[in-house]
Structure formats: structure tokens, C-alpha cells
Amino acid sequence: MNIENKEIIKWIKEIQDLCKPKKILIIDGSEKQLEILRNKAIKEGEIEKLDNKKFPNCFLHRTMENDVARVEDKTYICTETKEEAGPTNNWMRPKEAYTKLRILFKESMKNKTMYVIPFMMGPPKSQFTKFGIEITDSIYVVLNMCIMTRVNKTIMNEIKDNIKFTKCLHSKKDINLDERYIMHFPKDNTIWSINSAYGGNALLGKKCLALRIASYMAKNEGWLAEHMLILGIEKPNGEICYLAAAFPSACGKTNLAMLIPPKKFKDYKIWTVGDDIAWLKIGEDGRLWALNPENGFFGVATGTSAKTNLNALETVKKNSIFTNVLKKDDNIVWWEGMDEEVPEHGIDWKGKEWTPNLNTKGAHPNSRFTSPANQCPCISAEWENPNGVPLSAIIFGGRRAELTPLVYESFNWNHGIFVGASMSSETTAASNGNIGVVRRDPMAMLPFCGYNMADYFAHWFEIGKKITNPPKIFNVNWFRINKNNEFMWPGYRENFRILKWIIDRCENNVSSLKTEIGYLPLKTNIDWSELDIDDNTINELFKINKKLWMNEIEDLEIFFKNFGEKMPNEIGKELKGLSERFGDQKFA
Ligand code: GTP
Ligand code: SPV
Ligand code: MN
């Protein structure tokens, strides 16, 4: 491939001099090229081919045991001052970070091929779309990037001299956890990642570019880059209204994005626009428009079944890569929660012989599939619309065993931002570290905001001033637990009942109950029929426990104080409002 852009030529040369690869290959995304790479990866043991009849063109990859999730403690925002990165990000000065990593990258690709992947985040001819180039020494990364982003013959030359692109450098090196770093240089539009070959650490178009770097760009350019799914709900009259929802990692975005409504609501249909990332811009009509910059799904495999997410199961049946799942003896994949038929024998995610009586997991809890979005049976006709889709609602939600009710609506945009900024959730297997610990995770962006989150909240308020027709903002919690430690709400497809209330609210079809925390549904406005749920449980799901909320207010106060002077006043005002409403007899 002939490269014309002088900056690209210079950069490739610079990285070549640093990493000293044996060869350089420019990736054009062609089937011919991919086929050669797959065969090489099979030969070298990086991937295995699955049964081609049952899973055509599908592959299995096992990571190292120390490399199964994003590493938040090794992820840095590199800016001149710590204040620019803010109290929630790991920070390092760019000079120090480059120096440190240059030593690690030195000759890291010796005797290896260096792959150069020009890619596009967003569809062609869209004002949302951004370019990136990832340099990597991993074929697994190449194959995944060719699914997750748009890679083709023309992109390299579309990046003309005056067009910006993100410089992404990745080397799996020797997967040494102690020397693993995921470094972001927002001012340089640059990402350096070393010593991991896992998902969000290595597929640099995803969390690194489309959230951390993009959120920084968005702040400067007047838009938002968010950890949100986007879906359309088609009503019986054929109208489609669009929602975006921000839930932390492994808290149900892919499931909600592909939901099949319960039988009762067979005249409704959900269309998937995106399952993880949304770029939001204010349209000329004063509405907020959302676009999915990705080209595929990197979804949690564990727990994906015909019951929970049939559309995902259909999506992954061809042209997919499975990471850290179990391989059955008939050379197809399996994971916990896939079906009732637990295999008698298989090879587990660590590559070891597995039988159910071992009482170990066959698939890692954060095992994943990578599949092209256009294979999804419910993919929206609008998913590649260069303008995105207009949002009627934004939903925030986390995994909270108690406190937040099944659903509530914020009073207005500013209060909605406060609701988002107040989010917290139990940690999951999607990131290294403890699981099930409640932590604050504003807008599900804690690990993904590329600048100071106080400025990020301020930016949301600024956006609010410019939207004349803002989406309504809601909060949901599918994860309330009862005394027996069971989920009180059936979740999954039954979540449609809540989505239905949300669109009813957006269309002013139903009234609501005003409470201290926001508007709650009237029980009669949600259809509970054909559900195995009693009145007590329903009441419990909506209960506002004053004592817990007073604790929450205290906790929020401490959390928000971390941001110091930078914190926008509106947050303080909203917190005060919440606390006053709880003190007010009217609400007692
Ligand atoms: P990331 O890809 O990490 O961003 O995750 P995600 O937000 O897309 O989460 P996903 O839809 O993959 O779901 C993660 C886990 O939550 C899976 O184990 C699901 O089975 C489970 N889950 C999803 N929706 C529900 C729900 O409504 N109720 C319950 N109890 N669990 C759910
Ligand atoms: C997440 O953790 O939110 C994911 C998976 O979507 S990863 O690509 O690893 O970030
Ligand atoms: Mn995610």
C-alpha cells in the first residue's frame, strides 16, 4: 500500500526504529489478507479454528491467565498537570510516561511483524467519524480490530495531510503484568499500550480512543462520548423512538440493546444501534443525536443464552472470535449459563482438561465474543446513519443490591446529570480487582473519562444549555436483592416493561409519583401481568429507604469533595436539593 500522508510515514518510521520489527504489514481488511493472518495465527497457536459447519469462520483465543480484563490501576491519563486528569484517573506527566514506555517498547517487536491498521470509528461520510491507526504485534488484535472498527483499503489514503488521526501503539511484548501500561496522551492524540493482549487494553479503538481520547475531543468540540448502548423501540404503529443507556461494564448494556420483548408485547420490537459506546451531538433540531462509532460487538459470553439474549447467540454463530471460553470435544464453544447441557468434558479457558466435577469455571467470567454488528438479527436500519438517531431518553443504571429503585425519572436535565453523576455500582469481572464492591461510577464513565470528571460534569451542564429539546433522563436498577440474596426483579426481557414506561413518560402518556429522588411510576402504569412477582416484591422494588438515602447523601458529599473547587455549583445545588427534600415533612 502506498502511503501519501507524510506524518503517517514519519510516525511509522519512528515506531519501527523503536520496536525494531522484522517486517511491516499494512492492514487493508481484505478477506485475502485476513485469511493469511488467520492461518499464521493458527500455526503459531494464537487462535484455534472452530468447527466450520456449526461455527463458520469462527475462532477461539485464550489469553494468558494474568490478562483477562481491563487493568484500571495500570491505565493512565498523561497530561502536564494532575488537575487536567482529575482525582479519579491515574496520572503521569507525558514526558515521564513516554520515557518509561520507550524503554519497554524498545525492540519489543524484534523478530516479529509489525501490523499497521488504519481504521475508522463511525460510518463513512459522517461528521461524527474519527480516524485512527493502530500499530500492533498481535494478529489477535488485527483480527478483532477488523471486526470492531471499520478497516478497508481506502482508509489509509482518506487520512489526508490535514486530517487528524489517533496514533495508537500496542505491543503485547511478554504480557508482564508488572510492566503493563495503558497510557493516554490526549493532547498528542496518542495511545500507548504494552504487555496486555486483552480487549479494552489492546483493541485501542474501543475504550482508549472512542471513550478516553474521544471524551477529551468531545469536551473541546462541544459533544459527548459516552459508555452507552443505543436502541430503538418500534411501537405497534411503526414509530421508532430511540434511547441510550449508560451502565457500567458487565451490567447489562448488550443484553438490553438486543432485548426481545415478552410475548405480551409482541407488537413492539427493539432495534439495536449500539451496545457499548455512543457519541452524542446536538442536532439542528435542538435534539441530542446518538451514533455508535463501533462496527462490532465485544460482548460478555458468560451468561449469554437463548433465554437471556437470543439475538446475541444468533449474532456470534459465524465470523466471530471467542476469547477465554470453554472448547467442547466437538470443537465448538460453551460457557457457563449458555444452556442446561453442561458438557461432560472440554478444554477450559486456561487450556486445561475440564470436567464439571472439577468445580472450576470452564469459561472465564469475563469471556467475550467479537462479532460483526451487521450480523445481529435486530440490528437497526439506522445503525450506520451518518447523522445518528435522535434520543428521546437517556437511562443511567448500576448494580445496586439496595437503595435505588427499579426505575425513576429525574426532574429535569440538570437533576438528571446529578443522577448520572451519583451513580454507583458493584464492581464486576470486566476489570481486574475485587468483584462485588460498591464504588461510585459517574455516568458509568469512571474508568473511561479522558480528563477531569469535574470538567466533564460541567461539560454536561453546558450541553444542557444548548439543547432546546433534551432527552428525559431516567435511572434503573435491575439488581435489587432480597433477604435470600436473590434478584427481586426477573430482568432481561422483562426489562421491556420498564422501557415501555419510559417511552410512555417521554410521550406524556402517563402521570407519575413525585418523590424526594425523582418521579416514580404509578404501579398501575406498569404492566405486571404474566410475571411471577407478588405485590410485596413490587413495593420493595420501589421502596425509598430514608436511612439508606441519608447515608448515600453523606457518601456523595465526600465523593464530590474530591473534585475540590473545580466541581460545578449545579452538583452542589442538586445535592442540597435532595437532602432538603428528605428533610421536608411533605416528603416524610
Ligand atoms: P460490557 O461489555 O462489559 O460493557 O458489559 P454490558 O454492560 O454490555 O453487560 P452485558 O449485557 O454483557 O451483561 C453482563 C452480565 O449481566 C451478564 O452476565 C448478564 O447475564 C447480566 N445481566 C444482563 N442483564 C441483566 C438483568 O436484567 N438482570 C440480571 N440479573 N442480570 C443481567
Ligand atoms: C467493558 O469492560 O466495558 C467492555 C469490555 O466493554 S472492554 O473492551 O475490555 O473494555
Ligand atoms: Mn463496556
Side-chain angles (χ1 to χ4, degrees):
M1 191 183 288
N2 196 21
I3 304 174
E4 286 160 16
N5 184 319
K6 291 189 194 64
E7 195 186 342
I8 299 177
I9 297 170
K10 189 170 151 243
W11 176 59
I12 294 177
K13 176 80 177 55
E14 200 182 294
I15 301 305
Q16 181 186 9
D17 288 346
L18 177 64
C19 302
K20 294 274 188 279
K22 189 171 69 182
K23 249 174 70 182
I24 298 181
L25 183 67
I26 312 288
I27 300 299
D28 62 17
S30 65
E31 193 43 43
K32 191 173 147 212
Q33 195 183 50
L34 290 177
E35 193 53 27
I36 295 169
L37 290 177
R38 286 182 201 120
N39 287 332
K40 182 164 185 250
I42 292 170
K43 221 165 99 198
E44 291 171 359
E46 199 176 359
I47 57 173
E48 290 177 31
K49 177 134 179 62
L50 296 172
D51 183 285
N52 204 49
K53 274 222 175 77
K54 290 184 192 135
F55 279 88
N57 196 26
C58 285
F59 303 86
L60 167 69
H61 171 76
R62 294 188 195 94
T63 66
M64 299 281 282
E65 285 180 39
N66 74 8
D67 192 29
V68 293
R70 283 181 295 101
V71 279
E72 292 177 11
D73 55 333
K74 308 274 182 178
T75 300
Y76 285 75
I77 302 297
C78 304
T79 47
E80 283 306 327
T81 64
K82 182 162 172 35
E83 201 187 10
E84 288 164 89
T88 56
N89 280 314
N90 298 313
W91 169 78
M92 211 181 279
R93 268 195 199 88
K95 198 165 165 235
E96 192 188 332
Y98 280 129
T99 306
K100 195 178 179 73
L101 259 62
R102 246 185 227 116
I103 296 168
L104 298 178
F105 271 109
K106 198 169 171 204
E107 301 192 357
S108 63
M109 299 186 190
K110 220 173 167 181
N111 297 323
K112 294 206 243 172
T113 304
M114 175 171 122
Y115 303 99
V116 180
I117 320 164
F119 64 95
M120 209 163 64
M121 299 308 293
K125 299 194 171 46
S126 165
Q127 49 146 341
F128 284 84
T129 293
K130 302 278 180 199
F131 291 101
I133 300 180
E134 176 159 352
I135 293 182
T136 179
D137 53 8
S138 156
I139 298 180
Y140 171 74
V141 167
V142 173
L143 300 178
N144 273 276
M145 284 294 285
C146 287
I147 297 174
M148 293 307 296
T149 73
R150 289 164 174 92
V151 179
N152 61 48
K153 283 195 169 72
T154 64
I155 292 178
M156 187 63 101
N157 287 317
E158 278 179 53
I159 313 177
K160 306 265 181 243
D161 280 331
N162 57 343
I163 290 184
K164 283 199 228 153
F165 66 96
T166 307
K167 293 177 178 137
C168 309
L169 170 60
H170 167 256
S171 170
K172 58 184 178 180
K173 206 177 176 185
D174 32 39
I175 318 282
N176 177 351
L177 180 61
D178 296 330
E179 291 186 336
R180 184 171 302 161
Y181 291 99
I182 324 294
M183 300 278 201
H184 304 73
F185 305 89
K187 279 233 168 74
D188 302 342
N189 202 357
T190 292
I191 303 158
W192 281 17
S193 159
I194 192 153
N195 274 315
S196 168
Y198 183 83
N201 301 330
L203 313 177
L204 301 185
K206 196 173 175 61
K207 295 308 188 347
C208 299
L209 192 166
L211 286 179
R212 298 196 191 94
I213 295 290
S215 63
Y216 171 82
M217 292 175 172
K219 156 91 176 137
N220 295 328
E221 296 168 8
W223 51 284
L224 293 162
E226 298 299 324
H227 193 201
M228 292 177 179
L229 68 93
I230 311 164
L231 62 79
I233 302 182
E234 182 174 340
K235 295 182 289 181
N237 67 4
E239 266 174 33
I240 301 181
C241 86
Y242 293 95
L243 320 176
F247 307 155
S249 302
C251 288
K253 287 183 299 301
T254 303
N255 275 270
L256 193 70
M258 299 180 186
L259 180 151
I260 299 170
K263 270 202 209 86
K264 181 97 227 249
F265 303 93
K266 62 176 187 343
D267 297 336
Y268 290 81
K269 167 118 185 129
I270 300 278
W271 298 105
T272 311
V273 180
D275 82 324
D276 199 50
I277 297 175
W279 286 354
L280 312 175
K281 285 192 178 176
I282 305 169
E284 279 164 17
D285 57 358
R287 297 185 76 182
L288 198 57
W289 289 68
L291 177 128
N292 167 17
E294 299 192 279
N295 190 53
F297 306 122
F298 185 66
V300 178
T302 306
T304 304
S305 71
K307 267 195 209 139
T308 59
N309 194 347
L310 181 62
N311 282 321
L313 221 48
E314 290 297 321
T315 307
V316 306
K317 277 190 176 153
K318 54 182 183 189
N319 309 319
S320 297
I321 301 169
F322 297 89
T323 302
N324 290 342
V325 298
L326 177 127
K327 190 177 80 168
K328 297 207 288 185
D329 294 346
D330 54 353
N331 203 19
I332 63 170
V333 290
W334 184 85
W335 46 77
E336 278 75 15
M338 181 197 244
D339 49 38
E340 258 79 85
E341 293 163 49
V342 178
E344 281 170 23
H345 177 263
I347 304 295
D348 70 9
W349 69 272
K350 296 178 178 175
K352 299 201 176 97
E353 302 278 331
W354 182 90
T355 49
N357 61 8
L358 282 176
N359 275 328
T360 57
K361 301 276 185 212
H364 188 275
N366 193 33
S367 60
R368 299 264 168 175
F369 54 79
T370 320
S371 301
N374 62 12
Q375 290 182 186
C376 180
C378 57
I379 195 76
S380 160
E382 301 298 319
W383 87 280
E384 297 194 278
N385 188 326
N387 299 321
V389 294
L391 293 181
S392 300
I394 287 177
I395 306 172
F396 293 116
R399 232 176 232 274
R400 290 299 302 259
E402 40 186 19
L403 193 80
T404 50
L406 185 56
V407 61
Y408 67 100
E409 180 189 331
S410 66
F411 296 122
N412 50 50
W413 178 266
N414 277 11
H415 178 238
I417 296 174
F418 172 76
V419 169
S422 307
M423 268 173 70
S424 54
S425 192
E426 290 155 29
T427 49
T428 65
S431 167
N432 270 17
N434 294 335
I435 295 176
V437 183
V438 176
R439 69 161 184 191
R440 305 240 71 101
D441 188 354
M443 275 89 166
M445 281 290 279
L446 181 80
F448 307 119
C449 187
Y451 60 102
N452 192 319
M453 282 200 108
D455 293 329
Y456 169 78
F457 301 138
H459 183 48
W460 267 84
F461 288 114
E462 281 307 309
I463 293 276
K465 288 183 196 154
K466 294 182 195 135
I467 320 182
T468 47
N469 195 355
K472 283 183 185 269
I473 301 181
F474 297 81
N475 193 85
V476 299
N477 178 15
W478 314 139
F479 301 95
R480 284 279 280 257
I481 299 273
N482 66 16
K483 289 193 187 81
N484 303 327
N485 220 15
E486 300 153 336
F487 290 120
M488 289 200 276
W489 174 244
Y492 299 100
R493 64 170 50 192
E494 306 304 344
N495 294 334
F496 180 79
R497 297 166 193 265
I498 307 305
L499 296 185
K500 167 88 169 49
W501 182 75
I502 288 173
I503 57 169
D504 278 340
R505 285 296 291 168
C506 292
E507 292 171 352
N508 297 317
N509 293 339
V510 292
S511 57
S512 67
L513 187 70
K514 191 170 184 184
T515 73
E516 301 89 327
I517 64 168
Y519 300 116
L520 257 63
L522 301 176
K523 310 267 157 56
T524 48
N525 286 331
I526 293 181
D527 191 331
W528 307 103
S529 59
E530 297 175 17
L531 259 191
D532 185 18
I533 193 165
D534 56 39
D535 278 353
N536 257 346
T537 310
I538 295 176
N539 288 336
E540 217 28 64
L541 282 167
F542 287 103
K543 196 150 151 194
I544 299 173
N545 180 323
K546 183 169 170 179
K547 192 158 156 256
L548 290 182
W549 275 94
M550 297 314 282
N551 292 344
E552 177 76 357
I553 290 166
E554 256 172 55
D555 202 54
L556 280 170
E557 209 174 345
I558 297 168
F559 176 65
F560 291 146
K561 272 216 177 101
N562 287 330
F563 296 95
E565 296 286 294
K566 256 187 175 290
M567 199 61 169
N569 291 336
E570 288 91 337
I571 291 282
K573 266 191 232 159
E574 292 295 338
L575 183 64
K576 187 160 170 276
L578 177 66
S579 134
E580 280 173 4
R581 287 192 296 276
F582 272 107
D584 192 328
Q585 281 311 303
K586 192 166 63 184
F587 291 109

